[in-house]
Amino acid sequence: MPVTPIYRQKARHAQVQVCVACEVRCSALFGALDAQGLERIKADIDNLELTANTRIYGPGSDSDAVYTVRSGMVRFERFTERGDLRIVRLAGPGDLIGLEALLQRPYRDEALCCGPVQLCRIPCELVDKLGQHEGSLQRELMLRWQTDLENAEAWVANLATGPARRRMLRLLLRLADLGPQDGTIWLPRREKIGAMLDLTFETASRLVSQLRREGILELTAMRTARVDTTALRQALQAEDAEGSERPAA
Amino acid sequence: MPVTPIYRQKARHAQVQVCVACEVRCSALFGALDAQGLERIKADIDNLELTANTRIYGPGSDSDAVYTVRSGMVRFERFTERGDLRIVRLAGPGDLIGLEALLQRPYRDEALCCGPVQLCRIPCELVDKLGQHEGSLQRELMLRWQTDLENAEAWVANLATGPARRRMLRLLLRLADLGPQDGTIWLPRREKIGAMLDLTFETASRLVSQLRREGILELTAMRTARVDTTALRQALQAEDAEGSERPAA
DNA sequence: CGAGCCGTTGAGGGGATTCAAGCTCAGTGG
DNA sequence: CCACTGAGCTTGAATCCCCTCAACGGCTCG
């Protein structure tokens, strides 16, 4: 059984304390609210602690809430019309997921926990209520959508383009960005890597092994690894340099 | 997906008339406004007619306006870090582009006309002004962002996945959706097809030729073609059926 | 007419897949 | 305790798809 660090719940005071002390507060949805504002919403927000591969929501769920990721990573899965699994998005601490619920739309993808994940569940009603008074909230939401959109287009340009090795290197960079900033990353199963980069799991495995031999990647625990980020960036530059005959005017 | 019902009314003044008579009005940003509301905004909206390959905006431009596509198609280009061109998005009639401007962000991609294009240029100031009074406008904007996001993820899942032939077929389907609904599509240069599907232009050419021989595609004019949509869907189903040993539980 | 761009097609090579065999490791039950 | 099992990972060999390199044709335009 993988070590699933069970978080000791401190004296379960008000939700207010959780929000005030939240590490992602400044980047979170209600970051603009003061303590008094938080007081009013304490009752409605649920604080969740989930284990790896727990389903947060999916196309079948009632879309009546959004979620702030406090820690951990979330992946978004869907099936192509052909029937094979694809991962189309990753979310990390500070991200707000399930935005479509605010528009009364069904959740489009399955949101699943990559490892242990801490979430805040925020009912849509609450957002609606606050949105009427707080104009800044509307703008904050639009910013979320915009960054999601930019990330999605970056996914197309970076993770869905070029030879497998480059895609893998870019994925590692993204994983390093999303996770803790200490060089440790969550390293998915080879099959999941394939679902992100459109590769077979064998190819994903070969690439991981290759990077391990090059010293860029070092497997540490079950689903975790350590990356040498400078070596990683070097490898990427080397990749990009090769084909640079013309600057593609 | 793109529902473009036809709206016609008599109107008095120049831009007002344009807006009221606009074919994409119900799907457009100000669809909710009545004639009186339109009266107030007539002065600020510019009606543009552009030719193929005209640049609408790009990372360098002042991001002070959004644009409604009235007719034609718009493509979004960017360069990967390696330096090669990628097309990450397509917009058609009824779409609102350049949303990031509303958040004082620079335009991320280059927006270019695929063929002749009619646009309405809407200054951000105007949107801000109207947004304060019209609460529905905010919601409408969020809907735009959400559909853009869904399209981007669909791009990842459909156009960036699987063998080249399937990607090409999916692209044709998308082009048929965006363009006029009469089976005529705008068929990009082979190089641009490559930039959308991550292929070399030679492979793109081979695929086009192949589909032509199969009767799915028929080149008509310079950048246009006629697709047999039913044959297209059949070909796609055939593609998807082949690899369907297991439903990928 | 030659120059240049775009598109097409062929031949060869390389990268990813497919098929297949072992491997490690945790859990299970004898 | 240890063999057994099954899931995940690794690696090899053969195949196939797509890329690379190359030549050629149609077309526009100077």
Side-chain angles (χ1 to χ4, degrees):
Chain A
M1 191 57 137
V3 188
T4 52
I6 308 214
Y7 238 80
R8 297 279 171 199
Q9 191 110 347
K10 298 163 195 161
R12 190 178 176 85
H13 283 356
Q15 176 67 29
V16 182
Q17 283 203 348
V18 176
C19 284
V20 170
C22 181
E23 312 92 55
V24 298
R25 187 184 163 202
C26 34
S27 63
L29 184 60
F30 300 124
L33 270 58
D34 56 12
Q36 196 175 10
L38 289 172
E39 191 78 36
R40 288 174 42 225
I41 67 178
K42 66 181 176 185
D44 296 320
I45 293 184
D46 256 348
N47 194 16
L48 308 175
E49 308 218 356
L50 307 176
T51 58
N53 298 313
T54 308
R55 174 187 150 125
I56 302 168
Y57 60 71
S61 324
D62 288 2
S63 53
D64 54 358
V66 295
Y67 300 81
T68 291
V69 180
R70 295 184 58 204
S71 69
M73 274 180 52
V74 178
R75 65 176 187 272
F76 294 76
E77 299 188 347
R78 66 166 62 183
F79 290 91
T80 66
E81 277 136 59
R82 185 193 184 191
D84 38 26
L85 184 66
R86 291 251 39 198
I87 296 175
V88 296
R89 188 169 155 199
L90 289 173
D95 287 339
L96 189 68
I97 66 176
L99 283 175
E100 56 265 50
L102 295 175
L103 302 168
Q104 282 79 45
R105 291 199 166 208
Y107 296 119
R108 170 126 328 204
D109 308 303
E110 295 234 334
L112 298 159
C113 300
C114 293
V117 164
Q118 286 184 301
L119 290 176
C120 282
R121 182 183 187 280
I122 308 170
C124 292
E125 291 180 356
L126 177 59
V127 179
D128 292 340
K129 198 164 29 171
L130 289 174
Q132 292 170 351
H133 309 303
E134 284 280 340
S136 65
L137 188 62
Q138 307 267 350
R139 186 189 160 80
E140 180 65 27
L141 285 172
M142 294 183 191
L143 263 171
R144 301 306 182 119
W145 259 299
Q146 175 61 25
T147 56
D148 284 351
L149 183 57
E150 288 176 9
N151 283 331
E153 293 193 352
W155 189 293
V156 172
N158 296 326
L159 298 184
T161 295
R165 178 180 165 87
R166 191 200 331 276
R167 302 211 295 277
M168 175 64 95
L169 291 171
R170 289 249 150 76
L171 175 61
L172 291 180
L173 216 54
R174 175 105 179 100
L175 290 172
D177 255 17
L178 282 174
Q181 298 300 313
D182 58 356
T184 303
I185 63 166
W186 172 76
L187 213 248
R189 287 179 36 194
R190 309 299 174 263
E191 194 186 357
K192 301 294 182 189
I193 295 180
M196 298 189 213
L197 304 181
D198 193 35
L199 300 173
T200 59
F201 70 92
E202 293 102 324
T203 313
S205 173
R206 278 182 242 270
L207 288 169
V208 169
S209 302
Q210 185 190 351
L211 295 178
R212 234 159 21 121
R213 282 189 288 270
E214 295 176 21
I216 296 177
L217 200 61
E218 181 191 0
L219 304 192
T220 55
M222 189 52 130
R223 283 280 97 83
T224 54
R226 174 169 292 279
V227 290
D228 181 344
T229 40
T230 57
L232 175 55
R233 275 174 226 279
Q234 274 182 2
L236 260 173
Q237 284 189 341
E239 276 290 315
D240 294 348
E242 279 170 42
S244 69
E245 277 78 305
R246 314 135 291 140
Chain B
M1 192 190 310
V3 185
T4 52
I6 315 239
Y7 225 83
R8 299 220 184 265
Q9 271 187 17
K10 298 199 171 181
R12 314 126 223 166
H13 299 96
Q15 180 63 36
V16 179
Q17 187 168 3
V18 174
C19 282
V20 170
C22 180
E23 309 93 56
V24 298
R25 185 184 164 203
C26 1
S27 63
L29 184 60
F30 300 124
L33 270 58
D34 56 12
Q36 195 174 12
L38 288 174
E39 191 79 36
R40 289 173 43 226
I41 68 178
K42 67 179 178 187
D44 295 321
I45 293 185
D46 256 347
N47 194 15
L48 308 175
E49 308 219 356
L50 307 176
T51 58
N53 297 315
T54 308
R55 174 188 150 127
I56 302 169
Y57 60 70
S61 325
D62 287 2
S63 53
D64 54 358
V66 295
Y67 300 81
T68 290
V69 180
R70 296 184 58 202
S71 69
M73 274 181 51
V74 178
R75 66 178 186 271
F76 294 74
E77 299 188 346
R78 67 165 62 183
F79 290 92
T80 66
E81 278 137 57
R82 185 192 185 192
D84 39 26
L85 184 67
R86 291 252 36 200
I87 296 176
V88 296
R89 189 171 155 197
L90 290 173
D95 286 339
L96 189 68
I97 66 176
L99 282 175
E100 56 265 49
L102 296 175
L103 302 169
Q104 282 79 45
R105 289 198 168 212
Y107 296 120
R108 169 124 331 202
D109 308 303
E110 295 234 335
L112 298 159
C113 300
C114 292
V117 164
Q118 286 184 301
L119 291 176
C120 283
R121 182 183 187 280
I122 308 171
C124 292
E125 291 179 358
L126 177 59
V127 179
D128 292 340
K129 199 165 30 175
L130 289 173
Q132 292 171 348
H133 309 304
E134 285 281 339
S136 66
L137 187 62
Q138 308 268 351
R139 187 188 159 81
E140 179 65 28
L141 284 172
M142 294 183 191
L143 264 172
R144 302 307 182 119
W145 258 299
Q146 177 59 26
T147 56
D148 283 351
L149 183 57
E150 287 176 8
N151 283 332
E153 292 192 352
W155 189 294
V156 172
N158 296 327
L159 299 183
T161 294
R165 177 180 166 89
R166 189 199 334 275
R167 302 208 297 274
M168 174 66 94
L169 291 171
R170 289 250 151 76
L171 175 60
L172 292 179
L173 215 55
R174 176 101 179 104
L175 290 172
D177 255 18
L178 281 174
Q181 300 298 314
D182 59 356
T184 303
I185 63 166
W186 171 75
L187 212 249
R189 287 179 37 196
R190 307 301 174 263
E191 194 186 358
K192 301 293 182 189
I193 296 180
M196 296 187 213
L197 304 180
D198 194 33
L199 299 173
T200 59
F201 69 92
E202 293 101 324
T203 313
S205 173
R206 277 182 245 270
L207 288 169
V208 168
S209 302
Q210 184 189 351
L211 295 177
R212 247 179 345 142
R213 282 189 288 270
E214 295 176 22
I216 296 177
L217 201 59
E218 181 192 359
L219 305 192
T220 54
M222 190 49 133
R223 284 280 98 83
T224 55
R226 174 170 292 280
V227 290
D228 182 344
T229 40
T230 58
L232 176 54
R233 277 173 224 280
Q234 274 182 1
L236 259 174
Q237 283 189 342
E239 276 289 317
D240 295 348
E242 278 172 41
S244 69
E245 279 76 305
R246 311 135 292 143

